[in-house]
Amino acid sequence: MPARRCVWVSRRWRLSGADALAIACYGMALGATNLVFYLALRSIPFGVAVAIEFSGLCSGHLS
């Protein structure tokens, strides 16, 4: 029985301007989220910062 190989093939496609803008905005939002979280860690206790971040995630799933 021949060995099976898993090969990943990169297929490039062109991004429209709207897609590139959406990806850039998404990346900036993730970066801002991380920045605000790390700034919060400097100001408030770690447990409180994690609880606030987690409660935001939970509220998004409950709605």
Side-chain angles (χ1 to χ4, degrees):
M1 177 186 260
R4 294 184 182 187
R5 293 184 183 180
C6 182
V7 178
W8 180 70
V9 178
S10 173
R11 296 194 176 140
R12 302 189 81 173
W13 62 89
R14 298 189 189 277
L15 288 177
S16 68
D19 290 340
L21 179 63
I23 291 170
C25 288
Y26 182 67
M28 290 187 335
L30 286 176
T33 302
N34 285 335
L35 176 66
V36 170
F37 179 70
Y38 293 137
L39 289 175
L41 287 178
R42 289 188 343 179
S43 305
I44 59 177
F46 179 74
V48 175
V50 171
I52 292 170
E53 183 183 29
F54 184 72
S55 66
L57 293 173
C58 287
S59 66
H61 289 290
L62 295 176
S63 60

